[in-house]
Amino acid sequence: MKILTLGDFELKGKTVLLRVDMNCPIDPATGEISGVKRIEEATETIRALSEAKVVVVSHQGRVGNKDYIGMEQHAKILEKMLGKKITYVEDVIGSFAQSEIMKMKNGDIILLDNLRFCAEENYEFSAEDAAETIMVKRLGKLFDLCVLDSFPSAHRAHPSLVGFSHTIPACAGKIVEREVRKLEEILTVAKAPHVIVLGGSKVTDRLEAIKMLIKRGRADQILLTGLIGNVFMRAQARIKYPLGIKGEEDAVAKAHALMGEYPDVFFTPVDVAIDRDGKRVEMDVRELSKGDQIYDLGPKTIDHYSKIISSAGTVFISGPPGFFEKENFSYGTKSMLESVANSMATTIVSGGHLTSALKRYGLAEKITHISTAGGALVLYLTGETLPMIQSLESAATRFKAK
Ligand code: 3PG
């Protein structure tokens, strides 16, 4: 590993900025956190910093979306999990946040508000420019060490992920350390055929990563599910009505071009399950009509995809294939995970939803590597050095040169 870890630093009495990823699913109807897996993960590094003054920071949601909320709920959940007081500070870079940080004593833990409430955290920067942002200039001077433990957002070049680490000593937290070690190990032994089972709703991110995965020999067969699957089916004109998603035209055009360029790589569902008055109704994709909500894969698709998975050398699954939280629509997700777990391949399960589903079905033990990261992990597998990892590598070089 080319990055430093907590073991490389004296932590006692230090003021530490800990960047985690507590970006949780939020129930749009209630505004409540509906999955706490990432908060649970954050506790490991917080515990390891018990003798320091720890300022925890994270983003939550995207500007304009329903999941764009403050961190108060996270603080309460974190406090319960740790059994220790967490001071929630309703500020990010202002004088209130700064004075609260300066008052801290050893063992204190503060959680600042959603980093994306600060405009700069919604933009990508070079490390040098990120170090010049107001966020890094105002807060950076208050810390002895920056600990980056935000693997699910390692593909973003936001100031909190690449800026502080450019100006103050920086190292990986426990999650990032484990992810990088394990993934380096897996990528050296990964065998073909590489099968990717790809779902999820961040369609633009997915489309960008797919091409790189294929070009770099990391995707021989891509089995599409979820919203990204619908976009490809629309591009095949098998779904005949608009899906009504943001940037649809562009996404469909990209999917069309990808299928033209790599005709043997992509597989889309032949049948699906839709919700009709709360009931599961299975049908051929060609029978779908406008307004039908696709909630799951159909039995023929499950059977076909399972066969492909069973002869894979490496399987990577990201994004739930169906609305598994509803029992009626859980078959696709459960069956795909069972096929992955029972295959002889090296297996990677990615993303918060699938991590919860694995636990629910008691399959976690059979998987080679499980990560709550989604888009970041997809990009990591392409062989790209992610901005946050790059920033940790540079920080290590600077630190060792001293
Ligand atoms: C994720 O959930 O993938 C990360 O938290 C990154 O979130 P983003 O895609 O909104 O940057």
Side-chain angles (χ1 to χ4, degrees):
M1 284 219 307
K2 293 183 254 169
I3 57 182
L4 300 173
T5 60
L6 293 177
D8 292 303
F9 292 88
E10 170 59 55
L11 303 168
K12 195 172 175 178
K14 297 285 156 60
T15 310
V16 177
L17 177 73
L18 171 60
R19 174 46 158 121
V20 295
D21 190 325
M22 294 200 291
N23 184 22
C24 295
I26 305 295
D27 181 333
T30 62
E32 303 278 320
I33 291 177
S34 59
V36 297
K37 187 75 195 139
R38 285 190 177 170
I39 304 181
E40 202 176 294
E41 280 195 329
T43 59
E44 188 180 349
T45 300
I46 297 176
R47 284 201 173 95
L49 291 165
S50 62
E51 295 185 309
K53 301 165 205 165
V54 188
V55 178
V56 185
V57 290
S58 172
H59 70 282
Q60 168 63 55
R62 291 186 182 180
V63 179
N65 288 358
K66 293 248 187 203
D67 60 355
Y68 183 60
I69 62 167
M71 303 303 287
E72 192 170 6
Q73 290 183 54
H74 304 69
K76 285 192 182 132
I77 296 168
L78 198 55
E79 188 164 87
K80 229 185 227 165
M81 284 176 175
L82 288 166
K84 217 171 159 196
K85 182 167 169 47
I86 305 291
T87 306
Y88 163 60
V89 173
E90 204 179 332
D91 186 15
V92 184
I93 59 168
S95 53
F96 178 48
Q98 294 179 46
S99 69
E100 288 298 301
I101 295 169
M102 285 188 287
K103 276 193 253 163
M104 290 175 86
K105 298 194 175 59
N106 287 351
D108 284 354
I109 308 167
I110 277 181
L111 175 63
L112 294 184
D113 222 335
N114 186 346
L115 286 172
R116 290 185 180 173
F117 289 176
C118 176
E120 290 166 335
E121 187 69 5
N122 298 283
Y123 295 91
E124 305 239 319
F125 295 87
S126 66
E128 293 75 18
D129 289 344
E132 292 301 315
T133 54
I134 307 284
M135 175 187 280
V136 175
K137 280 184 156 171
R138 282 197 187 171
L139 294 185
K141 59 181 188 278
L142 305 176
F143 297 102
D144 303 304
L145 176 67
C146 165
V147 177
L148 296 176
D149 208 24
S150 178
F151 192 71
S153 32
H155 56 319
R156 307 288 181 217
H158 299 154
S160 69
L161 296 157
V162 301
F164 292 108
S165 41
H166 193 69
T167 57
I168 55 177
C171 71
K174 296 282 184 188
I175 298 167
V176 169
E177 180 185 354
R178 191 165 48 243
E179 290 273 6
V180 172
R181 259 189 222 291
K182 189 75 192 194
L183 289 167
E184 276 179 356
E185 205 181 287
I186 288 177
L187 290 186
T188 52
V189 298
K191 285 195 197 76
H194 297 270
V195 173
I196 310 258
V197 188
L198 200 62
S201 54
K202 291 181 181 169
V203 171
T204 314
D205 286 0
R206 295 283 196 243
L207 284 166
E208 271 169 26
I210 283 175
K211 193 164 181 164
M212 276 198 273
L213 283 169
I214 301 172
K215 275 180 145 175
R216 295 180 183 170
R218 294 280 176 207
D220 298 308
Q221 285 141 324
I222 301 182
L223 318 182
L224 295 157
T225 70
L227 196 53
I228 183 86
N230 298 350
V231 168
F232 275 74
M233 287 192 277
R234 179 93 182 100
Q236 291 168 321
R238 288 170 60 237
I239 291 183
K240 297 192 184 349
Y241 50 89
L243 303 166
I245 58 167
K246 222 160 127 186
E248 178 165 344
E249 229 172 89
D250 189 38
V252 169
K254 280 190 180 141
H256 194 265
L258 279 167
M259 284 188 289
E261 201 171 340
Y262 305 104
D264 304 326
V265 172
F266 296 99
F267 293 80
T268 52
V270 288
D271 57 350
V272 292
I274 63 160
D275 183 342
R276 203 153 275 167
D277 302 323
K279 291 212 173 68
R280 177 185 176 96
V281 176
E282 291 170 356
M283 60 175 65
D284 189 287
V285 171
R286 286 167 303 190
E287 293 169 53
L288 286 166
S289 50
K290 196 167 181 209
D292 284 338
Q293 293 290 332
I294 304 174
Y295 279 174
D296 200 8
L297 301 173
K300 287 187 197 142
T301 308
I302 292 175
D303 194 45
H304 184 212
Y305 282 9
S306 297
K307 285 197 179 105
I308 298 176
I309 292 169
S310 68
S311 49
T314 308
V315 193
F316 172 70
I317 178 166
S318 183
F323 192 174
F324 72 93
E325 290 87 349
K326 287 195 179 189
E327 182 64 28
N328 258 354
F329 299 101
S330 62
Y331 307 129
T333 305
K334 186 162 186 265
S335 311
M336 289 301 96
L337 287 176
E338 280 171 351
S339 305
V340 173
N342 294 329
S343 83
M344 302 296 284
T346 299
T347 52
I348 305 173
V349 175
S350 139
H353 285 99
L354 282 182
T355 309
S356 312
L358 264 186
K359 204 168 164 193
R360 176 182 297 199
Y361 305 132
L363 296 167
E365 248 101 273
K366 293 177 150 184
I367 304 296
T368 316
H369 183 59
I370 303 167
S371 171
T372 60
L377 184 48
V378 177
L379 276 178
Y380 189 97
L381 295 182
T382 66
E384 283 291 290
T385 306
L386 308 182
M388 192 196 78
I389 306 291
Q390 169 75 60
S391 125
L392 282 169
E393 289 178 4
S394 312
T397 313
R398 278 198 310 276
F399 185 78
K400 282 174 189 158
K402 275 188 187 165

Short mmCIF file of all heavy atoms in Angstrom, two decimals, residues 21 23 38 59 61-62 116 152-153 155-156 158 202 205 374-375, ligand 1:
data_model
loop_
_atom_site.label_atom_id
_atom_site.label_comp_id
_atom_site.label_asym_id
_atom_site.label_seq_id
_atom_site.Cartn_x
_atom_site.Cartn_y
_atom_site.Cartn_z
N ASP A 21 -18.16 8.65 5.02
CA ASP A 21 -19.29 8.73 4.10
C ASP A 21 -20.51 8.17 4.82
O ASP A 21 -20.70 6.96 4.87
CB ASP A 21 -19.00 7.97 2.80
CG ASP A 21 -20.08 8.24 1.76
OD1 ASP A 21 -21.25 8.40 2.14
OD2 ASP A 21 -19.75 8.30 0.56
N ASN A 23 -23.51 9.06 3.89
CA ASN A 23 -24.58 9.36 2.94
C ASN A 23 -25.56 8.18 2.95
O ASN A 23 -25.26 7.12 2.43
CB ASN A 23 -23.94 9.53 1.56
CG ASN A 23 -24.93 9.94 0.49
OD1 ASN A 23 -25.99 10.47 0.80
ND2 ASN A 23 -24.59 9.67 -0.76
N ARG A 38 -23.91 2.69 6.71
CA ARG A 38 -22.71 3.54 6.58
C ARG A 38 -22.38 4.27 7.90
O ARG A 38 -21.23 4.59 8.14
CB ARG A 38 -22.88 4.53 5.44
CG ARG A 38 -22.73 3.85 4.08
CD ARG A 38 -22.67 4.88 3.00
NE ARG A 38 -22.48 4.28 1.70
CZ ARG A 38 -22.57 4.95 0.56
NH1 ARG A 38 -22.88 6.25 0.59
NH2 ARG A 38 -22.37 4.36 -0.58
N HIS A 59 -20.92 14.17 3.69
CA HIS A 59 -22.00 14.77 2.89
C HIS A 59 -23.23 13.90 3.07
O HIS A 59 -23.13 12.76 3.57
CB HIS A 59 -21.61 14.86 1.41
CG HIS A 59 -21.54 13.52 0.74
ND1 HIS A 59 -20.47 12.66 0.89
CD2 HIS A 59 -22.42 12.87 -0.07
CE1 HIS A 59 -20.68 11.56 0.21
NE2 HIS A 59 -21.87 11.66 -0.38
N GLY A 61 -26.72 13.22 0.53
CA GLY A 61 -27.60 13.53 -0.59
C GLY A 61 -26.99 14.50 -1.58
O GLY A 61 -25.81 14.85 -1.50
N ARG A 62 -27.82 14.89 -2.53
CA ARG A 62 -27.39 15.85 -3.55
C ARG A 62 -28.33 17.05 -3.53
O ARG A 62 -29.55 16.88 -3.36
CB ARG A 62 -27.44 15.22 -4.93
CG ARG A 62 -26.40 14.15 -5.12
CD ARG A 62 -26.42 13.67 -6.56
NE ARG A 62 -25.44 12.61 -6.76
CZ ARG A 62 -25.24 12.01 -7.92
NH1 ARG A 62 -25.97 12.35 -8.96
NH2 ARG A 62 -24.34 11.06 -8.03
N ARG A 116 -22.10 19.39 1.99
CA ARG A 116 -22.60 19.95 0.73
C ARG A 116 -23.45 21.21 0.94
O ARG A 116 -23.87 21.83 -0.02
CB ARG A 116 -23.34 18.89 -0.09
CG ARG A 116 -22.38 17.85 -0.64
CD ARG A 116 -23.01 16.83 -1.55
NE ARG A 116 -21.99 15.88 -2.01
CZ ARG A 116 -22.23 14.79 -2.71
NH1 ARG A 116 -23.47 14.50 -3.06
NH2 ARG A 116 -21.25 13.99 -3.08
N PRO A 152 -16.74 5.22 -0.20
CA PRO A 152 -17.82 5.35 -1.19
C PRO A 152 -17.80 6.66 -1.98
O PRO A 152 -18.43 6.76 -3.02
CB PRO A 152 -19.10 5.24 -0.35
CG PRO A 152 -18.69 4.48 0.86
CD PRO A 152 -17.28 4.92 1.15
N SER A 153 -17.08 7.69 -1.49
CA SER A 153 -17.00 8.92 -2.29
C SER A 153 -15.58 9.19 -2.78
O SER A 153 -15.24 10.32 -3.15
CB SER A 153 -17.57 10.12 -1.52
OG SER A 153 -17.37 10.01 -0.16
N HIS A 155 -14.28 8.62 -5.45
CA HIS A 155 -14.21 9.02 -6.87
C HIS A 155 -14.55 10.49 -7.08
O HIS A 155 -14.60 10.95 -8.21
CB HIS A 155 -15.12 8.12 -7.72
CG HIS A 155 -16.56 8.09 -7.28
ND1 HIS A 155 -16.95 8.05 -5.95
CD2 HIS A 155 -17.71 8.08 -7.99
CE1 HIS A 155 -18.27 8.01 -5.87
NE2 HIS A 155 -18.75 8.03 -7.10
N ARG A 156 -14.82 11.20 -6.00
CA ARG A 156 -15.14 12.63 -6.11
C ARG A 156 -13.92 13.45 -5.70
O ARG A 156 -13.25 13.12 -4.72
CB ARG A 156 -16.30 12.99 -5.18
CG ARG A 156 -17.55 12.12 -5.35
CD ARG A 156 -18.26 12.43 -6.63
NE ARG A 156 -19.46 11.61 -6.79
CZ ARG A 156 -19.87 11.12 -7.95
NH1 ARG A 156 -19.20 11.34 -9.05
NH2 ARG A 156 -20.98 10.41 -8.03
N HIS A 158 -13.82 16.47 -4.36
CA HIS A 158 -14.36 17.59 -3.60
C HIS A 158 -13.32 18.06 -2.57
O HIS A 158 -12.44 17.29 -2.18
CB HIS A 158 -15.67 17.16 -2.92
CG HIS A 158 -16.74 16.75 -3.90
ND1 HIS A 158 -17.76 15.88 -3.60
CD2 HIS A 158 -16.90 17.08 -5.21
CE1 HIS A 158 -18.53 15.71 -4.67
NE2 HIS A 158 -18.03 16.43 -5.66
N LYS A 202 -27.93 5.70 -10.34
CA LYS A 202 -27.06 6.79 -10.80
C LYS A 202 -26.58 6.47 -12.23
O LYS A 202 -25.44 6.07 -12.47
CB LYS A 202 -25.89 6.97 -9.84
CG LYS A 202 -26.35 7.54 -8.49
CD LYS A 202 -25.22 7.76 -7.52
CE LYS A 202 -25.74 8.30 -6.20
NZ LYS A 202 -24.74 8.29 -5.13
N ASP A 205 -23.35 8.16 -13.98
CA ASP A 205 -22.10 7.62 -13.45
C ASP A 205 -21.83 6.23 -14.02
O ASP A 205 -20.71 5.89 -14.41
CB ASP A 205 -22.18 7.48 -11.92
CG ASP A 205 -22.07 8.82 -11.22
OD1 ASP A 205 -21.94 9.84 -11.91
OD2 ASP A 205 -22.14 8.83 -9.98
N GLY A 374 -20.54 2.21 -3.93
CA GLY A 374 -21.19 1.89 -5.20
C GLY A 374 -20.34 2.39 -6.36
O GLY A 374 -19.43 1.71 -6.83
N GLY A 375 -20.62 3.64 -6.79
CA GLY A 375 -19.93 4.22 -7.94
C GLY A 375 -18.41 4.24 -7.79
O GLY A 375 -17.68 4.02 -8.76
C1 3PG B 1 -22.39 7.32 -2.90
O1 3PG B 1 -23.39 7.05 -2.21
O2 3PG B 1 -22.13 6.72 -3.96
C2 3PG B 1 -21.44 8.34 -2.37
O3 3PG B 1 -21.81 8.82 -1.14
C3 3PG B 1 -21.22 9.45 -3.36
O4 3PG B 1 -22.40 10.19 -3.51
P1 3PG B 1 -22.59 11.12 -4.83
O5 3PG B 1 -22.77 10.17 -5.98
O6 3PG B 1 -23.80 11.94 -4.54
O7 3PG B 1 -21.35 11.93 -4.97
#
